[in-house]
Amino acid sequence: YNPIEKATGALVPDLPLDIHTFQGQERARMLIYRITEELYEAGNCLRNKAWKQSQVPCDKDHFLEELADAVHFVIQLFLELGLEAEDVFKLYFRKSIVNEFRQDSKY
């Protein structure tokens, strides 16, 4: 997306992002908003509501497409922060250990 954004005059800071700066935080926030927007779009594909009497089928392809869009922006954010796959892997599993401890200890 960076070439498209540069062509439209959007803010594209130097990479990796420095999240201690206004520009770095603004860019990270913008990517987080995009992730959130795509997740909302995926949620809107889920048409069944607790109060509805009839079942409404889901457009599964559209649902998965929106989830893929969200994942794209998550990966984009990690890349722009200068993280590599191994960094993300370590972060994920370090947090997973914390979550398991909390579940086991009834935190």
Side-chain angles (χ1 to χ4, degrees):
Y1 285 96
N2 284 355
I4 295 169
E5 291 173 340
K6 284 181 182 179
T8 61
L11 170 68
V12 182
D14 294 332
L15 299 179
L17 295 179
D18 181 353
I19 60 170
H20 300 292
T21 66
F22 172 82
Q23 292 83 5
Q25 289 182 18
E26 184 66 21
R27 177 67 178 182
R29 185 179 298 109
M30 186 265 309
L31 288 168
I32 291 167
Y33 289 157
R34 288 182 180 177
I35 294 163
T36 304
E37 181 178 21
E38 297 299 339
L39 290 174
Y40 274 113
E41 289 176 7
N44 286 335
C45 293
L46 305 174
R47 310 299 292 185
N48 291 314
K49 309 290 189 235
W51 60 86
K52 287 191 174 185
Q53 296 298 314
S54 61
Q55 296 282 322
V56 179
C58 174
D59 181 346
K60 186 176 178 181
D61 290 338
H62 186 209
F63 174 71
L64 294 175
E65 180 182 306
E66 298 301 343
L67 289 179
D69 286 343
V71 170
H72 162 82
F73 286 117
V74 169
I75 293 169
Q76 181 77 23
L77 177 59
F78 283 140
L79 291 173
E80 290 195 16
L81 290 171
L83 298 174
E84 296 181 4
E86 187 172 326
D87 300 320
V88 176
F89 178 86
K90 287 177 182 177
L91 286 168
Y92 178 85
F93 282 99
R94 185 171 67 200
K95 179 61 177 166
S96 178
I97 291 168
V98 171
N99 290 344
E100 286 179 31
F101 169 78
R102 289 177 176 171
Q103 291 168 10
D104 293 342
S105 64
K106 309 285 190 241
Y107 171 77

